[in-house]
Amino acid sequence: MADPATKYITYTITALDAGRWFVESKGTSGYSFHSLKEAERFAITLAERNAPAKVCLIDANGQAVTEMTFEQRSEEHTSELQSRFGISYAVFCLK
């Protein structure tokens, strides 16, 4: 659960029209994508890099359908979020 005292960067994903999705955060110009999966991947990547952060999927009525909170950047956390969003892609770490 999110800590109410923590300030989060929030990345929202909204539908522009059929087949186009928009990712934005307060104070940014935003990015357009041709698939929801691409938009989700982009927003999750931004949130992981800028934690603490949230990713919200917004429906046509402006209501949050899904909201994910990024508190940490662990491999287990990334895997859990990918499965909750239905995304499967490889994450490679070089040591």
Side-chain angles (χ1 to χ4, degrees):
M1 180 175 267
D3 178 2
T6 304
K7 289 192 173 191
Y8 294 90
I9 298 170
T10 302
Y11 299 96
T12 58
I13 304 170
T14 53
L16 293 175
D17 53 34
R20 289 187 39 219
W21 299 86
F22 194 68
V23 176
E24 67 181 330
S25 180
K26 185 177 181 179
T28 66
S29 57
Y31 302 89
S32 179
F33 295 89
H34 291 286
S35 78
L36 177 56
K37 186 175 274 192
E38 290 174 355
E40 288 174 334
R41 285 181 182 168
F42 181 73
I44 287 172
T45 300
L46 289 175
E48 287 178 332
R49 290 181 181 167
N50 298 301
K54 294 181 181 183
V55 173
C56 297
L57 179 59
I58 307 297
D59 67 11
N61 298 319
Q63 301 296 316
V65 176
T66 304
E67 180 177 295
M68 308 297 332
T69 303
F70 295 78
E71 303 278 351
Q72 58 190 12
R73 294 177 59 191
S74 69
E75 188 174 323
E76 295 83 14
H77 190 224
T78 301
S79 177
E80 174 194 352
L81 290 165
Q82 289 171 345
S83 65
R84 289 171 80 180
F85 267 113
I87 299 171
S88 60
Y89 60 97
V91 177
F92 298 95
C93 298
L94 301 174
K95 292 185 178 185

